Amino acid sequence: MTTASLESSHPSADKRLKMLDATMKRHQYQQDALIEILHKAQELYGYLENDLLLYIAHELKLPPSRVYGVATFYHLFSLAPQGVHSCIVCTGTACYVKGAQAILANVEKVAYIRAGETTANHQLSLLTARCLGACGIAPAVVFDGTVLGNQTPESVCNHVQGWLQHGTD
Ligand code: FES
C-alpha cells in the first residue's frame, strides 16, 4: 500500500526508504522510538509527506492519528514544503565533499532564501537532507521528489530558475 506509493514516486537510485527501514529495525519497531524515527525520516526526505507518516504508523503499529499528532506538535518537523516546487540539497558527507555547500549557497543566492525557507512567491522551498542513500552519484539533489546526481551549482540553478521565473509570469 503506502510502501508501493512511496517507492513508485522515487527512482531506484533512491534508497531512502531502505535507510528508514533500517532505522526502524534498529529501534526494533518500538513505538517509543517514534520521535527518533520521524527525525530520521525528515533527515532523509527533507519533510514528512503524508505517505511517509502513514507508512511509519503502519510499521510501528500505531494509529495514524498518533503519528500525525506527534509530527504536528513539534515545530522541528515540517509536514510539507510550502512551495509549489521543492529542492532538497543533500549535505551528507559524500555530497559535502563533492561540493554540496557551493550548490546550496548558489541556490540561496538566486532564490534569495536560506535553507528551510520558501520564496515569497511560493514557487520554491529549499530544504536540506543528510544522505539520500545516493552517495555514488554525489552530489545529489532532489527536485520535486526525483533524485538527480552529479549536480553542479550551475545545473541546480538552471533547474530552479525555471520554477522561480514561472512564478513571475
Ligand atoms: S551523502 Fe548525499 S547521498 Fe549520501
Side-chain angles (χ1 to χ4, degrees):
M1 38 165 266
T2 50
T3 324
S5 63
L6 278 173
E7 275 169 351
S8 65
S9 64
H10 300 296
S12 57
D14 191 345
K15 300 200 184 81
R16 291 180 287 179
L17 197 56
K18 279 205 181 83
M19 294 169 81
L20 181 61
D21 284 341
T23 300
M24 289 194 280
K25 201 167 172 192
R26 201 169 57 242
H27 286 287
Q28 297 169 333
Y29 298 89
Q30 277 176 19
Q31 301 178 341
D32 289 353
L34 177 60
I35 290 180
E36 282 97 321
I37 290 162
L38 289 175
H39 257 299
K40 184 67 189 177
Q42 178 151 302
E43 230 177 74
L44 291 168
Y45 287 84
Y47 63 96
L48 302 172
E49 58 184 314
N50 203 33
D51 279 353
L52 201 48
L53 293 175
L54 288 174
Y55 178 66
I56 291 169
H58 180 257
E59 293 298 294
L60 300 187
K61 300 190 173 42
L62 279 168
S65 58
R66 172 84 207 290
V67 177
Y68 281 105
V70 170
T72 51
F73 180 77
Y74 292 98
H75 286 307
L76 49 129
F77 295 128
S78 51
L79 298 192
Q82 319 260 297
V84 175
H85 300 284
S86 63
C87 171
I88 307 172
V89 179
C90 178
T91 55
T93 308
C95 292
Y96 183 88
V97 169
K98 295 259 188 124
Q101 286 305 317
I103 289 175
L104 190 59
N106 216 18
V107 181
E108 288 180 335
K109 200 169 102 197
V110 296
Y112 296 103
I113 51 171
R114 314 279 305 176
E117 293 178 352
T118 297
T119 54
N121 64 5
H122 300 291
Q123 285 299 307
L124 175 71
S125 289
L126 176 61
L127 302 155
T128 57
R130 269 190 261 146
C131 195
L132 308 165
C135 308
I137 53 168
V141 178
V142 190
F143 298 98
D144 281 347
T146 301
V147 180
L148 295 184
N150 304 311
Q151 294 296 292
T152 64
E154 293 72 30
S155 68
V156 175
C157 279
N158 286 342
H159 211 117
V160 301
Q161 228 144 18
W163 291 340
L164 292 169
Q165 278 157 12
H166 189 256
T168 57
D169 286 346

